């Protein structure tokens, strides 16, 4: 199944915002971590319907990939 591109972009925004809150880092750091993550690539490519998972689940997956923000924040 392929996700609607606009809906997918809105999901990306919600995940990035929740990731910033979870990690206590600025949005630009969360954005960078999101787009460099394997989770993003899976969502973008429609693998295993990752785009259907909850925002909380996706944030936990991204955090498990690399749990810390830069020390400068």
């Amino acid at each position: 199944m392929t996700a609607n591109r606009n809906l997918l972009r809105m999901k990306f925004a919600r995940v990035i915002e929740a990731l910033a809150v979870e990690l206590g880092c600025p949005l630009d750091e969360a954005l960078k971590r999101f787009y460099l993550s394997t989770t993003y690539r899976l969502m973008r490519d429609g693998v295993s319907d990752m785009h259907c998972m909850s925002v909380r689940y996706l944030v936990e997956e991204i955090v498990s990939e690399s749990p810390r923000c830069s020390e400068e924040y």
Side-chain angles (χ1 to χ4, degrees), residues 1 37 52 59 61 69 73:
M1 180 177 160
S37 72
C52 296
V59 167
E61 285 296 307
C69 275
Y73 298 111

Side-chain angles (χ1 to χ4, degrees), residues 5-21 27 30-31 34-35 40 43 55 58-59:
R5 289 291 164 201
N6 288 329
L7 294 176
L8 195 55
R9 288 183 192 117
M10 291 188 306
K11 181 83 162 223
F12 291 165
R14 289 191 306 273
V15 170
I16 293 164
E17 184 177 16
L19 183 61
V21 170
L27 282 172
L31 180 73
F34 175 73
Y35 281 117
Y40 162 70
M43 290 175 68
V55 170
L58 295 168
V59 167

Side-chain angles (χ1 to χ4, degrees), residues 1-5 7-9 11-12 14-15 39-55 57-58:
M1 180 177 160
T2 305
N4 176 292
R5 289 291 164 201
L7 294 176
L8 195 55
R9 288 183 192 117
K11 181 83 162 223
F12 291 165
R14 289 191 306 273
V15 170
T39 302
Y40 162 70
R41 286 192 295 281
L42 294 173
M43 290 175 68
R44 178 196 64 203
D45 297 340
V47 175
S48 301
D49 289 334
M50 284 292 281
H51 60 278
C52 296
M53 301 299 180
S54 71
V55 170
Y57 175 84
L58 295 168

